[in-house]
Amino acid sequence: IRKDGLLEWQGWHYRDGEADILSYWAQETVTLRPSPLTEALIWVYWKDAILCYALAEELCHEDGSYRPYWFPYPRLGE
């Protein structure tokens, strides 16, 4: 996690979806778990506890929606 709260993972730049929580954990090691529904969303864990969710800036649209997985990644359960 960078000092400004930006988290870089797999080529995307993620920011938390709440009140800039990640900036409080700058330089900490966290665990990331991707959402099964969209590559735009990840769950951020610190010491086995959920810290927040984060959205990839590049995959979010101006209206607040975000890009779902696209082929070849199936949705969970399909």
Side-chain angles (χ1 to χ4, degrees):
I1 302 173
R2 295 186 342 193
K3 290 181 183 180
D4 64 355
L6 189 70
L7 196 149
E8 295 180 49
W9 185 62
Q10 293 189 345
W12 304 118
H13 298 90
Y14 291 87
R15 289 209 182 269
D16 63 82
E18 298 298 324
D20 200 27
I21 294 170
L22 289 176
S23 62
Y24 293 105
W25 275 267
Q27 309 302 318
E28 289 289 333
T29 301
V30 293
T31 302
L32 306 176
R33 294 193 176 129
S35 167
L37 299 178
T38 175
E39 63 187 328
L41 178 81
I42 59 172
W43 295 97
V44 183
Y45 289 79
W46 181 70
K47 295 188 177 181
D48 297 325
I50 190 160
L51 186 58
C52 66
Y53 71 91
L55 292 166
E57 293 178 336
E58 297 90 347
L59 302 177
C60 293
H61 305 290
E62 290 181 20
D63 66 357
S65 65
Y66 41 83
R67 185 177 87 182
Y69 279 119
W70 50 289
F71 190 82
Y73 303 107
R75 297 181 87 194
L76 189 62
E78 289 184 355

